[in-house]
Amino acid sequence: MIPFLLRRLVQSIPTLLLASILIFFVIQLAPGDFLTPAKLNPNISPEQLAALQRNFGLDRHPIEQYFLWMRNMLFHFDLGLSFSYQQPVLDVIKPRVANSMYLVLLYTVLFYLIAIPLGVFGAVRQNSLGDKAVNVFLYFLLGFPSFFLALIVIYFILQLRTKTGLDIPINGMTSNDFDSMTAVQKFFDVTKHLIIPAVILAVSDAAGLTRVIRGQMLEVMRSDYIRTARAKGVTERTAIWKHTFRNAILPIVANVGSLLPSAVAGAGFIEVVFAYPGITPMILDALNAQDLYLIAGFTVITTVLLVIGNALGDILLAVVDPRIKVG
Amino acid sequence: MKKALTLALALTVGTAAAQSAFVWPSAWTADQNTGNKRGGELRLSAISDFKTMNPFTSSEADSIPDRMESGTGLFTQDPRNDEFIPYMAAGAPVVSNNNKRFVVKIRQGMKFSDGQAITADDWVTTWKIHTDDKVGSNSYDTFFLVGKPITVKKLDNYTLQFDFPQPSASALSIMSYAPWPDHVFGKAYREGGADAVKKMWGLATPASQIIGAGTWIVDSYRAGERTVFKKNPNWGDWNKDSRGQELPYLNTMSVRIVADANASLAAFLAGQIDTVGMRNADDLAQTKKAIDNGSLKAFLKANVSPQATSQWITFNWNKAGDPAKQKLFRDVRFRRAMSHIANRQAMVQLALGGLGSETYFSTYPIFKQQIDAGLAAGAPQYKYDLAQASKLLAQIGYTKKNAQGYLVDKSGKVLEFNLSTNAGNTVREQLGRIFADEAKKVGVKVNFTPIDFNTLVSQLTSKGENRPFDAILLGLSGGSNIWSFGSNVVPCGTNLHSYNNPTDGKCATSQEQLMTKLYYQGDSELNDAKRRAIGGQLMKAEGELQPVIYLVGGNFHVAFNERLGGEFPANLMNAYYGQRLNALTFIK
Amino acid sequence: MTTTAPTTTQKKDKPLGQSQFSVAWQQFRKNRLAQAGGLMLILLYVMAIFAPFIAPDALSSYSTSNITRFHPPTPIQFRDPDTGAFTRPYVFKYTQQLNMDTFVNEFKPSAERCPLYFGVRGASYKLLGFIPGNLHLFGTNKEDCSVYLFGGEDLGRDLFTRTLYASQISLTIGLGAVVITTLIGLMMGAVSAYFGGIVDTLVMRLVEVIAAIPSLFLLLLLRSVFPKDINPILALYVILGLLAFIGWGGLARVTRGQLLSVREQDFVSAAKSLGASDNRIMWRHMLPTLTTYVIVTTSLAIPATILTESGLSFLGIGAVEPYASWGSLLKAAQDGGLSSLNTRPWVLIPGFFIVFTVMCFQLLGDGLRDAFDPRKRA
C-alpha cells in the first residue's frame, strides 16, 4: 500500500505542474488583466493605474510571476492573494467550497436514491411499459439545460408561494433570521434551502446513472452464477438484491473517488441561478475579473483532489473486488 | 462624590452634543414618522458579493465601506436645490486665498460606533492613507486637481484646513469624504505603513472590530449570502428628525446577494426584499401584476426621471493606417449624418421596451438645468432623418450605390466601418443592431460585432496615431450634478477622450480646444448659474462637433414594498438622489 | 470494466455468420423508441438543412417603424369570420400599443387579413451555402403583416425563422464537436497504447489535467484567449474546437484501456503468433473492437455537447448576433426573466427544441447500445 501511494505521489507531480502551467498561462494569454475595467473609470488616473499594477505584480513578466507564485506555494503553502478580495486565496475559497460541499453531498445522496431503484427496476422489468416510461421521462429531464430548468422551477415556486402562502425559499442558503436560530433550526433552515436545487440536479442528471445500473444489472443477471443461484432455488428477491445488485454496482463504488473533486468544483449553473453561495458564482466572477491567483489557486486545489480521488478509487476497487490488486 | 461629579460632567457634555445635532429637514420625506415607529429591518439586495470591508482597498461599485459611509461627510447635498449644507461641519467653511483655502469647523460631540470622539485627526489620517499610492485606494484621484494635490491640515481638534491647488466648483463635494477612525487605521499606518492598512478589515474580520462614523455598522457577513448592518448607536446623538427624535428609526439593514436582476425581482415580488431597481417595462409589468393580484403590497411609480447614464457611439479619428477612414471619421458632416441615422425612437421602443429617453448630449438628461442651459445656448440636436443623412453623405462624395445597395465612392469603395460593443449586454447589442440596420437603409455598411469587454476597453482607451478600432458603442455612468462634464472625457489627451487620443494628446480641432478651455473654466467657477452657462457653451461646441453620437437612456422607476415609510416627496425622487434616505426610512 | 470486448464471442454463437452490424440492426429494429428517436433526428437535420426555405422570413429582419417586439404567435385562420365558410388560410394583422397601466405591450388582431400562400418569393438565401434561392415554403407576401408561428422575439424578428436557422448551428456544433472529439480521442488513445512509455505518460497526464480543471471554467478560460471580435461564424468554429478539446480525454483513456486489454486476448495473440505485423494488428484487429463503443458514446456525447453549448450561450459566449443557436435564443428568453414565462411563453420554444433533440439522441444512443451489446438483448 505505502509504495503504491508513494508511486502515485510521484506520478501526480507532472500532472500538477502541467495543470498549473496551463491555467496560469491561459489566463495570461487572455486580453487585458484585472485592472482593465479600472481604465474605464473616469476617476482613476494613469499614475494610479501604474501604482496598482506595481502593487499587484502585474508589471512583471508572466514567467517571473509564475515562478514567484510557485515558490510561495511550495515553500509557504501560500496560493497567492486574490486581487479583488485582497486576501489569501485559501481564505476566500474555503467558505465557498464548504457551502458547495453541502449541496453536492445532498445532491449525491438524492442522486443515488433515485438512480439505483430506477436502474434496478429497469433491469428487472426490462422493456416493460414502466421501464420505457421511466426512460423517456428521465431523458426528457436530461434535455433541459439546468439554468432553464431552474428558471421554470423558480417561476413555479413563486406561483406556489402566492397561492399557498408557504415560505418556500427561492434562493440563497439561509433565511434572514439565520443568525438568531438554534443549531437544530439552523440545520433545518439550510436543508430547506438546499433541497430544491439538489432535487433539480439529481433528477435531471439521474438518467445517466440509471442507465448504467440498468445495463450492469442486465449483464450480471445473465451471467452463469446468477443462473446457477436461480437454479438452486434462491428467491427472486435474493437473486436480484444480494447476488446481482452487489456485483452490478462494483464499478460504481470504484467511481466514488471521482466525487471528491466534483464536490469541490461545485454544482455548476444551478448555484448561479439559485444565488447559492457556492464556488461556481465566485469562480465565474473571478474569471470575468481575471483574478489571476484566485483562479489558478482554485485549479491547483481541484487537481490535487482529483489525484487523491483517483488513487482512492483504485484502492476502493481493490477492496471491493478481490481480483484486483493495488500496485 | 468624585464619581457623581464625572457623571454630571458627562451629562452636560451630552446635552451640549444634543444641542448641536444635525436636524434632518421634514421636507426630505413625504411620509413623516409621526408615530415614532422604531426598529425593524430594511431588506435590500445586491448582485455581486462584497469583497472586503476595508475602505482603503475596496474598488467595487457597491461595497460594505460604501454603505458604512452613508451618514458621514462634512457637507451634504440638499436634494431640494442641489446645494451643499454643513453636515459633519459645524457651519459653512471660511474661504480665503482666492477660493483655494477652506477652514472648516467640525461639529462637536460626534462619536464613532465604538464611542471614540470623531476629531480632525480622523479626516487627516483618512486623507493621508487615501493618497498613499502604495495603498492603492480607489479614491486616490479625488484628492488631486489637474495632477496637483489637495492638502488637509489639522488646526486644532475640531478645525480642519483644506488647501486646493486651484479653485474648484466641486470643493465642498471633495471635502465631504468619509472619515475613518484614526485610532484604528492611523495607528496601523504609523506602525506598519501601507501594508498594514491593506491587511486590515478583510471579510474574515469579526464584525465587532469594524468601526464606523456613519449610520450603519457591520453586524454580520455571510460569504455570498447576506450582509447585515446594524445602526450605529452613537449616530443618533447628532442626527435628529424634525421632532427631535434620534435617527435612524430602523434597527438593521440587510443586503442579500442574488444571482442577477431577475432573481432580485423575484425576491421583491415574493416580499423577501423591500425594494428593487426597475430596469424596464417588463419589471414594471411583473410588479404591477403582483400588486393587482394581491400577492404584493407595493408602491410603484414609472418614469420618475431619466437614468443617469448615457449610451453612445464614438468614431476613431486616429487611423493613420487607413487615411481614407480617418478622413471620413474626421469629417463633421459624416458624424452628423450618423446622428441622423440613429433611430432613437425605435431604440427606445425596441431595446428599452418603450420606456426611455432620447439623448443628444454628453450631459445626462436627468441634469435638466444643465440641459436647459445647453439648449438655451443653441446646442444643436441632429435627430433621426434618413433623407438628411443621405444628403450629407452625398456632400462628402457618396452618391452612387452598388449592386448590393451600399454607397460607393468614386473609386468604387463601399462606405463601411466596423462597430463593436461589449458582448453580453443585451440592450447595447440591440442598439448596435438597430443602428447597423438603419444605416443599411441609406447604404452605409456597418459591420456590427459584440466583443469582449476588456478588449473593447483597451481599444477605446488606447493612445496613438493608429488606434485599433473604427467605432465603438458603449455607455458611461457616474458624474455629479455640480459640474456634469467628465474630467476624463472632455479635455484633450484624457483617457476617455475616446474619439481623438494621439500620442501627444493634442486637440485636432478648434472646437476641442474650446471645449477643453470651457471644461476647466466651468470646473473652477463657483457660481452655479455662471457655471451652467459655461456648460451650455460647452454643450453647443460639443453638439456642433458631434464627436460622439449619443443615443438613448433608460428611465428611472421606483418600486418599494408598502411596509416601508419615509420615502422622498414625488418632486425629490429621481435617478440621482434615489427614492429615499435610509435615515428617515421606517417600517410601518 | 470489460463491457464490449466479448462481442466477438457472439460471432461464434451465430452459425449463419451474420456480421456484427446486421445482428445489431436486427436488434435495433425491435426497439421502437430508439427508432422513433432516430427518425425524429433525421427530420430535425432535414429541417435544419432546408431552414432558409421552410422559414418564411430572413434570419434577421424586422421593422423599426412597425414594432413587432414580442409579437404573439399568429393563429392561422381557415374560416371566413363573416360567412363561416372555409377560405384560403390567412392570419390577422396585429396592432400594438404599450399599456401604461399594466406596462405590457399589447397586441390586438385588427380586421385586416393577410392570406397565406405556398411557395412565395421573399428574402434570398443560399441553401447549404451555395444553392441560391428566394422561394419560401409559405408566407404572406406582405411586408408589414407576416405570419408568426412561434411569435416574435425581442427585436420583433420571427422566432420560427430564427429557431430554424438556430437549428443549423446547434445541430452542427453538437455533431461537429463530437466527430472531432472522437477522432482526437481515438488517435491519442491508440498512440498512447501503441507507443507506451513516455508518450503514454504524457498523453495520460494531459488527460488528467483536462479532467482536473472543471470543464466549464476551462472552456471559459480557453475562449477568453481567442479575440472576441473575430467573425461570428469563425467564433462558432472556435467554440466547436474548444468543445472537442475538452472532451477527448475520456475516450482516449478508454481506447487505450481497450486496446491494451485486447492485446492480451486470444485472437490477437493468435494473429501475432501467425506473424502479423504490429501495424496490421492495430488496424485490423484492435480498432474494430472499438467501433461499438465509439458509436454508442458518440450518440450519447452529441446531446451532452448540445447542452454544453447552450450553457455557454447562457454565459454569453455562444452564437453571436445576428446568428443564433437554440442556446442563445433561450438565453434571450432567460434575460427576460419572469415575463418570458408569464407574458410571452412562446420565447421558450427554442428551449424545447433542445430538450426534444437531446431526448431523441439519448433514445437513439440507448437503442444502439442495447443493440450492440449481446448481453442486454431481451
Side-chain angles (χ1 to χ4, degrees):
Chain A
M1 195 68 135
I2 302 287
F4 163 77
L5 286 178
L6 270 178
R7 205 171 59 241
R8 265 307 172 88
L9 189 72
V10 174
Q11 278 174 349
S12 66
I13 291 173
T15 312
L16 287 173
L17 213 64
L18 210 62
S20 70
I21 292 176
L22 182 77
I23 283 300
F24 200 91
F25 288 98
V26 164
I27 301 170
Q28 298 278 14
L29 270 177
D33 60 33
F34 180 70
L35 292 173
T36 310
K39 287 186 187 145
L40 200 63
N41 185 336
N43 299 320
I44 296 186
S45 66
E47 296 79 39
Q48 196 190 348
L49 273 175
L52 286 173
Q53 231 162 18
R54 267 197 311 282
N55 282 344
F56 289 151
L58 287 170
D59 56 338
R60 294 174 203 252
H61 193 272
I63 296 177
E64 197 187 340
Q65 290 182 40
Y66 177 77
F67 279 109
L68 279 174
W69 178 61
M70 262 310 202
R71 197 188 62 194
N72 282 336
M73 191 156 58
L74 292 176
F75 297 111
H76 308 291
F77 201 65
D78 170 13
L79 292 174
L81 206 69
S82 154
F83 295 151
S84 42
Y85 288 85
Q86 287 290 308
Q87 272 180 84
V89 166
L90 216 53
D91 293 355
V92 176
I93 288 178
K94 249 191 259 160
R96 300 302 197 113
V97 167
N99 290 347
S100 275
M101 271 183 172
Y102 301 141
L103 180 58
V104 174
L105 219 65
L106 185 63
Y107 146 70
T108 313
V109 171
L110 288 172
F111 179 58
Y112 284 108
L113 277 181
I114 294 170
I116 290 174
L118 285 181
V120 172
F121 170 79
V124 176
R125 299 277 164 79
Q126 191 191 5
N127 294 338
S128 68
L129 191 67
D131 177 29
K132 282 184 177 153
V134 166
N135 203 4
V136 172
F137 181 65
L138 286 183
Y139 283 160
F140 176 70
L141 286 176
L142 185 69
F144 279 88
S146 57
F147 65 92
F148 182 41
L149 194 60
L151 176 74
I152 293 176
V153 169
I154 288 181
Y155 175 71
F156 283 111
I157 297 175
L158 261 184
Q159 295 291 350
L160 209 64
R161 280 180 67 110
T162 47
K163 295 259 156 61
T164 63
L166 289 174
D167 183 32
I168 310 166
I170 300 178
N171 53 27
M173 186 173 121
T174 55
S175 300
N176 273 0
D177 50 351
F178 184 75
D179 289 316
S180 58
M181 289 181 185
T182 63
V184 180
Q185 281 173 324
K186 277 185 180 170
F187 175 79
F188 280 111
D189 188 54
V190 172
T191 316
K192 194 168 85 176
H193 282 81
L194 283 177
I195 198 87
I196 292 167
V199 166
I200 293 176
L201 269 180
V203 170
S204 64
D205 280 1
L209 185 68
T210 307
R211 298 310 281 174
V212 170
I213 291 178
R214 180 179 176 271
Q216 290 286 336
M217 288 286 291
L218 285 175
E219 198 171 304
V220 180
M221 267 158 89
R222 291 183 212 301
S223 64
D224 295 341
Y225 65 94
I226 298 293
R227 214 171 295 157
T228 316
R230 279 216 174 99
K232 271 166 60 185
V234 170
T235 62
E236 189 62 22
R237 199 188 165 87
T238 323
I240 289 170
W241 288 106
K242 198 166 169 205
H243 297 284
T244 315
F245 179 68
R246 270 204 183 169
N247 285 299
I249 59 158
L250 277 187
I252 297 158
V253 171
N255 212 23
V256 163
S258 70
L259 289 175
L260 202 57
S262 68
V264 171
F269 288 129
I270 205 104
E271 291 184 355
V272 180
V273 180
F274 277 91
Y276 187 80
I279 194 79
T280 315
M282 198 192 76
I283 293 294
L284 287 179
D285 273 357
L287 279 169
N288 268 333
Q290 292 184 286
D291 196 337
L292 179 64
Y293 297 110
L294 190 55
I295 307 166
F298 174 69
T299 315
V300 168
I301 293 175
T302 53
T303 318
V304 169
L305 284 173
L306 182 87
V307 170
I308 298 175
N310 280 348
L312 212 66
D314 287 354
I315 295 168
L316 264 176
L317 201 61
V319 172
V320 294
D321 191 342
R323 286 171 299 178
I324 300 171
K325 271 204 189 102
V326 165
Chain B
M1 190 65 208
K2 204 178 173 196
K3 214 173 193 175
L5 195 72
T6 29
L7 196 72
L9 252 171
L11 255 171
T12 42
V13 172
T15 17
Q19 277 159 2
S20 69
F22 177 83
V23 176
W24 291 61
S26 61
W28 283 2
T29 169
D31 189 10
Q32 305 295 335
N33 187 5
T34 42
N36 196 24
K37 297 226 167 73
R38 306 195 74 89
E41 176 180 340
L42 174 64
R43 302 163 306 169
L44 307 172
S45 69
I47 286 178
S48 86
D49 194 12
F50 296 125
K51 305 222 157 49
T52 180
M53 302 195 200
N54 188 326
F56 298 102
T57 60
S58 158
S59 58
E60 309 148 75
D62 177 9
S63 67
I64 292 177
D66 265 1
R67 289 185 182 256
M68 287 175 68
E69 281 176 3
S70 82
T72 67
L74 289 172
F75 305 94
T76 191
Q77 216 169 358
D78 187 336
R80 284 173 294 184
N81 52 13
D82 301 344
E83 266 163 29
F84 279 85
I85 49 177
Y87 181 53
M88 285 180 115
V94 178
V95 189
S96 59
N97 191 15
N98 286 330
N99 292 327
K100 290 195 288 191
R101 168 166 294 176
F102 296 79
V103 175
V104 183
K105 282 267 176 219
I106 300 167
R107 186 184 297 278
Q108 299 203 10
M110 300 187 298
K111 280 186 250 145
F112 282 107
S113 54
D114 62 347
Q116 293 260 12
I118 303 174
T119 64
D121 287 324
D122 300 310
W123 270 275
V124 174
T125 299
T126 303
W127 161 74
K128 245 187 217 153
I129 301 178
H130 275 309
T131 49
D132 183 340
D133 61 355
K134 286 194 219 56
V135 175
S137 161
N138 242 28
S139 307
Y140 178 88
D141 282 329
T142 53
F143 294 98
F144 290 83
L145 276 185
V146 215
K148 289 187 211 111
I150 296 162
T151 56
V152 184
K153 212 170 104 187
K154 168 186 169 182
L155 296 185
D156 63 51
N157 267 347
Y158 289 97
T159 315
L160 282 166
Q161 175 182 306
F162 292 83
D163 281 297
F164 284 68
Q166 66 181 59
S168 166
S170 309
L172 295 178
S173 160
I174 293 170
M175 288 187 276
S176 299
Y177 62 92
W180 290 94
D182 174 64
H183 60 279
V184 176
F185 287 103
K187 193 163 152 262
Y189 188 63
R190 285 185 290 274
E191 283 163 10
D195 284 333
V197 171
K198 278 156 75 180
K199 285 208 183 77
M200 296 177 77
W201 289 17
L203 289 175
T205 312
S208 57
Q209 291 178 23
I210 307 295
I211 292 150
T215 327
W216 303 108
I217 49 173
V218 178
D219 187 37
S220 69
Y221 166 82
R222 294 184 63 82
E225 282 188 82
R226 188 181 312 110
T227 307
V228 180
F229 296 87
K230 63 178 176 203
K231 74 169 173 191
N232 173 354
N234 300 325
W235 193 73
D237 290 350
W238 59 279
N239 284 279
K240 309 275 158 138
D241 70 6
S242 49
R243 290 171 308 282
Q245 308 285 358
E246 281 192 7
L247 292 173
Y249 305 120
L250 296 164
N251 265 348
T252 45
M253 170 175 85
S254 66
V255 181
R256 161 196 286 256
I257 306 299
V258 292
D260 55 18
N262 285 329
S264 52
L265 179 69
F268 175 68
L269 296 180
Q272 294 181 327
I273 55 173
D274 291 322
T275 178
V276 73
M278 297 274 114
R279 291 165 296 168
N280 47 34
D282 277 349
D283 285 3
L284 290 168
Q286 292 299 326
T287 309
K288 178 77 174 136
K289 194 177 248 179
I291 293 171
D292 287 347
N293 72 22
S295 61
L296 177 73
K297 288 192 173 53
F299 172 96
L300 180 66
K301 190 168 178 228
N303 295 323
V304 171
S305 81
Q307 287 281 17
T309 55
S310 62
Q311 313 283 339
W312 38 257
I313 295 175
T314 182
F315 290 92
N316 179 9
W317 294 9
N318 315 104
K319 286 196 76 73
D322 188 346
K325 255 185 193 158
Q326 171 165 319
K327 185 161 167 275
L328 182 71
F329 293 159
R330 286 187 179 208
D331 194 319
V332 68
R333 291 167 298 180
F334 169 77
R335 296 191 305 271
R336 286 178 186 170
M338 291 302 111
S339 182
H340 285 308
I341 281 170
N343 188 347
R344 295 174 179 84
Q345 197 195 341
M347 288 176 180
V348 169
Q349 292 247 318
L350 286 171
L352 302 178
L355 304 177
S357 315
E358 303 180 9
T359 57
Y360 295 90
F361 307 106
S362 65
T363 306
Y364 310 139
I366 184 174
F367 300 141
K368 210 174 162 309
Q369 288 177 302
Q370 183 60 67
I371 292 276
D372 290 345
L375 291 176
Q381 306 181 26
Y382 301 100
K383 297 196 172 177
Y384 178 58
D385 184 350
L386 292 183
Q388 188 61 28
S390 295
K391 214 161 112 194
L392 285 166
L393 291 173
Q395 284 175 16
I396 307 174
Y398 288 96
T399 46
K400 279 195 306 243
K401 283 189 181 175
N402 69 4
Q404 284 86 42
Y406 290 117
L407 287 166
V408 288
D409 63 7
K410 282 184 209 105
S411 62
K413 211 163 148 250
V414 173
L415 174 54
E416 68 172 314
F417 60 86
N418 300 322
L419 173 67
S420 23
T421 190
N422 59 312
N425 184 320
T426 318
V427 169
R428 279 187 204 141
E429 285 180 21
Q430 291 184 349
L431 294 181
R433 190 79 260 133
I434 294 166
F435 183 82
D437 291 335
E438 288 288 334
K440 200 177 168 186
K441 290 181 187 164
V442 295
V444 180
K445 191 174 177 199
V446 179
N447 308 309
F448 175 62
T449 34
I451 66 172
D452 176 55
F453 182 73
N454 284 355
T455 315
L456 192 73
V457 172
S458 63
Q459 286 181 1
L460 185 83
T461 55
S462 60
K463 258 184 179 314
E465 273 59 49
N466 194 21
R467 297 157 71 216
F469 70 94
D470 286 354
I472 284 177
L473 193 164
L474 209 60
L476 279 182
S477 61
S480 77
N481 59 3
I482 308 166
W483 180 235
S484 56
F485 300 90
S487 63
N488 253 16
V489 182
V490 178
C492 293
T494 52
N495 234 1
L496 294 173
H497 194 78
S498 53
Y499 48 98
N500 177 30
N501 209 346
T503 320
D504 58 10
K506 285 233 173 76
C507 298
T509 56
S510 59
Q511 287 101 323
E512 283 174 271
Q513 279 166 355
L514 175 66
M515 282 156 64
T516 307
K517 195 186 119 220
L518 288 170
Y519 172 81
Y520 288 116
Q521 199 182 327
D523 192 42
S524 53
E525 173 56 61
L526 302 189
N527 180 298
D528 287 349
K530 276 190 198 152
R531 194 169 58 243
R532 275 187 209 113
I534 297 169
Q537 290 304 316
L538 207 168
M539 282 170 69
K540 179 166 182 282
E542 182 190 73
E544 280 163 0
L545 185 64
Q546 204 61 210
V548 171
I549 318 296
Y550 289 90
L551 304 174
V552 291
N555 280 357
F556 174 71
H557 321 285
V558 170
F560 57 83
N561 197 305
E562 271 186 1
R563 69 193 277 273
L564 293 191
E567 70 275 7
F568 275 136
N571 61 326
L572 295 190
M573 274 187 200
N574 62 40
Y576 192 72
Y577 289 109
Q579 49 163 280
R580 64 180 61 249
L581 293 161
N582 283 346
L584 295 175
T585 299
F586 59 95
I587 305 296
K588 283 180 183 164
Chain C
M1 278 203 285
T2 55
T3 41
T4 47
T7 35
T8 41
T9 54
Q10 185 68 24
K11 268 189 202 170
K12 288 173 208 153
D13 295 345
K14 292 275 172 178
L16 290 172
Q18 283 174 304
S19 79
Q20 191 188 351
F21 284 96
S22 65
V23 175
W25 177 242
Q26 276 184 1
Q27 285 293 323
F28 184 73
R29 289 190 51 179
K30 287 187 197 157
N31 190 337
R32 286 287 164 78
L33 274 177
Q35 279 175 26
L39 191 71
M40 294 319 286
L41 284 175
I42 292 172
L43 280 178
L44 278 169
Y45 274 92
V46 168
M47 184 191 84
I49 291 170
F50 293 102
F53 166 70
I54 302 170
D57 210 340
L59 170 64
S60 177
S61 95
Y62 61 96
S63 158
T64 47
S65 49
N66 173 36
I67 303 293
T68 56
R69 176 183 159 93
F70 299 127
H71 197 293
T74 45
I76 297 172
Q77 315 285 337
F78 295 96
R79 281 170 185 273
D80 192 298
D82 307 323
T83 63
F86 281 102
T87 78
R88 169 171 282 283
Y90 66 92
V91 292
F92 283 112
K93 182 176 163 57
Y94 281 61
T95 57
Q96 61 92 28
Q97 179 151 31
L98 180 62
N99 181 329
M100 283 310 285
D101 183 42
T102 61
F103 306 104
V104 176
N105 203 17
E106 288 169 345
F107 282 86
K108 288 199 186 83
S110 68
E112 188 183 339
R113 283 190 259 162
C114 313
L116 285 174
Y117 300 94
F118 278 107
V120 295
R121 301 276 162 189
S124 51
Y125 53 81
K126 283 204 173 105
L127 221 50
L128 289 169
F130 65 93
I131 309 168
N134 62 2
L135 195 67
H136 294 261
L137 182 61
F138 64 97
T140 55
N141 264 340
K142 279 190 189 170
E143 234 358 59
D144 275 356
C145 176
S146 320
V147 51
Y148 292 95
L149 280 186
F150 291 175
E153 44 87 272
D154 52 4
L155 272 181
R157 298 174 286 197
D158 176 27
L159 191 61
F160 177 67
T161 301
R162 287 186 63 77
T163 309
L164 285 177
Y165 273 95
S167 69
Q168 293 184 324
I169 287 174
S170 292
L171 292 172
T172 330
I173 284 217
L175 197 63
V178 170
V179 167
I180 300 173
T181 303
T182 311
L183 289 179
I184 302 179
L186 282 177
M187 203 183 69
M188 294 300 240
V191 162
S192 197
Y194 188 77
F195 290 104
I198 183 118
V199 178
D200 184 25
T201 313
L202 252 172
V203 172
M204 285 303 112
R205 289 297 87 80
L206 193 57
V207 169
E208 270 175 23
V209 167
I210 294 176
I213 306 166
S215 55
L216 175 66
F217 304 146
L218 187 57
L219 268 173
L220 287 176
L221 268 179
L222 289 173
R223 179 63 185 87
S224 66
V225 173
F226 292 90
K228 280 203 181 159
D229 48 349
I230 45 179
N231 173 326
I233 293 292
L234 193 65
L236 284 173
Y237 286 116
V238 168
I239 299 270
L240 196 147
L242 291 179
L243 285 170
F245 177 75
I246 299 280
W248 62 269
L251 184 61
R253 208 204 289 264
V254 171
T255 307
R256 173 178 170 275
Q258 294 259 324
L259 289 181
L260 288 179
S261 76
V262 168
R263 193 155 72 183
E264 307 306 319
Q265 278 182 9
D266 296 345
F267 70 98
V268 175
S269 325
K272 228 177 205 166
S273 62
L274 286 172
S277 74
D278 276 3
N279 262 333
R280 189 182 154 79
I281 290 172
M282 184 116 163
W283 291 114
R284 290 298 301 267
H285 296 277
M286 287 178 160
L287 277 182
T289 60
L290 273 169
T291 1
T292 57
Y293 179 83
V294 167
I295 290 175
V296 173
T297 45
T298 312
S299 63
L300 295 176
I302 294 172
T305 315
I306 292 178
L307 283 178
T308 312
E309 192 274 336
S310 77
L312 290 182
S313 291
F314 172 63
L315 294 174
I317 57 164
V320 182
E321 281 281 328
Y323 302 96
S325 70
W326 290 335
S328 71
L329 291 176
L330 189 57
K331 151 121 175 70
Q334 166 101 13
D335 283 343
L338 298 171
S339 297
S340 294
L341 287 157
N342 61 14
T343 53
R344 38 172 195 266
W346 58 88
V347 295
L348 300 177
I349 293 174
F352 289 99
F353 272 81
I354 300 180
V355 175
F356 184 69
T357 310
V358 170
M359 191 172 78
C360 288
F361 266 114
Q362 291 287 350
L363 291 173
L364 176 71
D366 221 31
L368 287 175
R369 182 164 52 196
D370 283 3
F372 275 106
D373 193 335
R375 286 153 310 167
K376 290 188 187 145
R377 285 167 197 159

